[in-house]
Amino acid sequence: MGGGRRLALSFAVRSLRRRSALNILPSSSYAAIHLMDSNLCCRQSANCDVAPDQQIGLKERSRTTWAFTSVMSFSEAAMTKSLPPNAVLEEGPTTTTRAATPLTVSNNNPRVIFVLGGPGSGKGTQCARIVRDYGFEHLSAGDLLRAEINSGSGNGTMIQKMIEDGNIVPSEVTVRLLQKAMEKSKSDKFLIDGFPRSDENRAVFERVTGIVPEFILFFDVPMDEMERRILGRNQGRVDDNIETLKKRLKVFVESSLPVVKYYDAMGKVHKVNATTSVDDVFETIRPLFKQYEQKDSTVELVQGVTHKSDGPATLH
Ligand SMILES: Nc1ncnc2c1ncn2[C@@H]1O[C@H](COP(=O)(O)OP(=O)(O)OP(=O)(O)O)[C@@H](O)[C@H]1O
Ligand SMILES: O=c1ccn([C@@H]2O[C@H](COP(=O)(O)O)[C@@H](O)[C@H]2O)c(=O)[nH]1
C-alpha cells in the first residue's frame, strides 16, 4: 500500500476511534475499526495475526467499510474469487471477464432496504409509492436484468433463459448490475426490489459491496393471490405464465424465504400483510418510512455533533 493510502487509512481509523469514544457510531462501525486496524497491521507488518478471510468476514458485517472497500479494492478480489465458470461480467460491447469497479466516494455510505416477497406480492407497486413520498431510488433487480438483455449484452441470452425458466441468475451478474446502478446514482438511499433471492445472492452482495441492509420489507401474500395477480398482470412478460410461475413460486419458497428467515433472526424484517388494497398496504408501511425519515435526519444532524442513533426503525 502506498504512503498516501496508508496515511488516509490511519487518519480514518483515528477519526472513527474518536467518534467511537464519543459513542456516536452505530455498532457496525466497531467492526470497521477492527477491520481497518487489521488491514493496517497486515500491510505494515509481516506478523499480522488476522487472516485475509477474516478481514473480508468483518467487512461483510460493516456498512461503514464501504469507502475502504474502494480504497483497498477488496471487491475486486471478492468478485474474481467467486466467479462461476459460466458467468461473464461485461461492460460495453466487448465481452470480457471483469472484476468489480470500486465504488465512488460520492455515495460511499449508502443505505439499502431490501424489498422482498413472492412474485406478484406488490413489491414494484409499493416501491413506486415509497419513491414518490420518501425519495429513495428504486432498483428492481428484475428490471436491471431485463435491461441487460435489451442492451445486447453477451450475458443476455443466459439471463433470458434463466428468466423464462424462473431460475435465479448467477449472483455475480446481478450484484454487478446493482453495484453499477448504485455507483451511477446520485442518491445514497436505495430500495432494492426482488433481491436477494437466495442465501448465496445475499452473501455475494454483502461480500462484494460491504453493505448490510438497514431493514427488510417483506410482503406477505398467499400463493393463490400471487397467482391471480401474476396471471392478470398483462404486461407481456415472458415469465407471467402458469408454467414459469409454478417454478418461480417453488424458487421463492425454497431459495428466497430462507433469506427472509436469515434477516428475521437478526430482527431486521418488517412483515407486511399485502393482501389488502394498494392504498391500504401503503398506509401500513408509511409509518415505517416516516420513522426512518426522522431517524435519518437525526443521524445527519449529529454527524458532526455528539449523539447516538437508536438503530433501525421498527414496525410491529
Ligand atoms: N395490493 C394489491 N392488490 C391487488 N393487486 C395488486 C396489489 N398490489 C399490486 N397489485 C397488482 O398485482 C400485479 C403485480 O404487482 P407488482 O408488479 O407490484 O408485483 P411484484 O411483487 O413487483 O411482482 P414481480 O416480483 O413479479 O415483479 C400488478 O398487476 C399490480 O397492479
Ligand atoms: O435478483 C434477481 C431478480 C430477478 N431474477 C430473475 O428475474 C425474474 C423476474 O424477476 P422480478 O423480480 O419478478 O422482476 C425472476 O424470476 C428471476 O428469473 C433473478 O434471477 N435475480
Side-chain angles (χ1 to χ4, degrees), residues 107 109-113 130-131 133-139 182 185-192 214 289 292-294 296-297 300:
N107 57 6
N109 199 16
R111 281 140 316 151
V112 163
I113 294 167
I130 299 165
V131 168
D133 291 2
Y134 299 102
F136 280 76
E137 175 146 350
H138 176 208
L139 297 179
M182 282 191 278
S185 171
K186 290 204 164 49
S187 178
D188 67 348
K189 48 184 194 177
F190 299 95
L191 294 171
I192 297 191
E214 304 279 299
F289 284 90
Y292 186 75
E293 212 173 36
Q294 278 164 10
D296 200 22
S297 53
E300 264 165 30

Side-chain angles (χ1 to χ4, degrees), residues 28 30-32 34-36 38-39 50-63 65 69 74 78 81 202-203 206-212 262 266:
S28 58
Y30 298 109
H34 179 63
L35 168 68
M36 288 187 284
S38 307
N39 277 295
V50 180
D53 280 352
Q54 285 173 295
Q55 296 167 24
I56 288 175
L58 282 164
K59 180 169 68 63
E60 278 175 20
R61 291 194 291 276
S62 170
R63 192 188 78 195
T65 57
T69 305
F74 269 133
K81 203 171 79 180
R202 176 192 57 71
E206 289 187 0
R207 185 173 67 236
V208 169
T209 67
I211 299 174
V212 174
Y262 171 89
M266 296 167 72

Side-chain angles (χ1 to χ4, degrees), residues 118-125 229-230 233 237 248 274 276-278 281:
S121 57
K123 302 181 293 294
T125 303
R229 289 185 192 176
I230 289 292
R233 182 154 56 179
R237 275 179 52 166
R248 288 161 74 192
T276 54
S277 72
V278 172
V281 174

Side-chain angles (χ1 to χ4, degrees), residues 5-310:
R5 281 185 172 188
R6 187 157 51 237
L7 191 68
L9 203 51
S10 308
F11 176 80
V13 170
R14 274 203 305 278
S15 157
L16 275 174
R17 277 225 190 82
R18 243 192 340 267
R19 293 176 72 192
S20 82
L22 294 171
N23 206 17
I24 57 170
L25 287 175
S27 58
S28 58
S29 304
Y30 298 109
I33 293 173
H34 179 63
L35 168 68
M36 288 187 284
D37 277 346
S38 307
N39 277 295
L40 279 177
C41 145
C42 289
R43 281 164 170 76
Q44 288 172 350
S45 152
N47 300 323
C48 179
D49 62 355
V50 180
D53 280 352
Q54 285 173 295
Q55 296 167 24
I56 288 175
L58 282 164
K59 180 169 68 63
E60 278 175 20
R61 291 194 291 276
S62 170
R63 192 188 78 195
T64 317
T65 57
W66 175 277
F68 297 92
T69 305
S70 301
V71 172
M72 297 182 284
S73 297
F74 269 133
S75 59
E76 296 195 13
M79 186 70 103
T80 312
K81 203 171 79 180
S82 53
L83 274 173
N86 63 339
V88 178
L89 303 176
E90 69 159 33
E91 211 167 53
T94 46
T95 304
T96 47
T97 300
R98 289 174 57 92
T101 312
L103 290 153
T104 52
V105 178
S106 63
N107 57 6
N108 66 10
N109 199 16
R111 281 140 316 151
V112 163
I113 294 167
F114 288 146
V115 182
L116 300 178
S121 57
K123 302 181 293 294
T125 303
Q126 295 300 328
C127 281
R129 292 183 170 220
I130 299 165
V131 168
R132 182 194 65 194
D133 291 2
Y134 299 102
F136 280 76
E137 175 146 350
H138 176 208
L139 297 179
S140 155
D143 284 351
L144 289 172
L145 290 167
R146 284 182 284 272
E148 184 70 356
I149 297 171
N150 294 332
S151 75
S153 143
N155 280 328
T157 312
M158 179 273 288
I159 298 172
Q160 172 88 9
K161 177 93 177 77
M162 292 288 191
I163 291 180
E164 280 172 6
D165 292 346
N167 283 324
I168 300 175
V169 171
S171 299
E172 286 72 13
V173 173
T174 315
V175 169
R176 173 83 178 129
L177 292 173
L178 287 167
Q179 193 180 22
K180 267 169 66 178
M182 282 191 278
E183 282 174 17
K184 228 171 88 183
S185 171
K186 290 204 164 49
S187 178
D188 67 348
K189 48 184 194 177
F190 299 95
L191 294 171
I192 297 191
D193 160 4
F195 178 95
R197 275 176 136 84
S198 67
D199 273 327
E200 201 243 348
N201 268 184
R202 176 192 57 71
V204 172
F205 179 85
E206 289 187 0
R207 185 173 67 236
V208 169
T209 67
I211 299 174
V212 174
E214 304 279 299
F215 62 85
I216 283 76
L217 201 51
F218 172 57
F219 292 119
D220 192 26
V221 174
M223 298 281 175
D224 56 348
E225 173 64 6
M226 291 198 271
E227 181 178 320
R228 200 184 59 76
R229 289 185 192 176
I230 289 292
L231 298 182
R233 182 154 56 179
N234 257 334
Q235 286 178 356
R237 275 179 52 166
V238 291
D239 53 347
D240 280 355
N241 58 73
I242 188 65
E243 289 75 29
T244 311
L245 178 60
K246 277 185 193 155
K247 185 67 200 289
R248 288 161 74 192
L249 289 171
K250 188 169 183 288
V251 167
F252 168 65
V253 171
E254 290 175 1
S255 301
S256 310
L257 279 181
V259 178
V260 179
K261 279 195 192 129
Y262 171 89
Y263 284 121
D264 197 30
M266 296 167 72
K268 281 182 176 266
V269 173
H270 299 290
K271 181 170 156 180
V272 176
N273 170 10
T275 56
T276 54
S277 72
V278 172
D279 286 346
D280 286 350
V281 174
F282 189 56
E283 287 315 311
T284 312
I285 61 178
R286 198 192 269 287
L288 179 58
F289 284 90
K290 269 194 190 149
Q291 232 179 309
Y292 186 75
E293 212 173 36
Q294 278 164 10
K295 180 199 148 219
D296 200 22
S297 53
T298 313
V299 170
E300 264 165 30
L301 255 177
V302 299
Q303 291 280 304
V305 194
T306 61
H307 192 82
K308 194 181 176 195
S309 125
D310 290 324

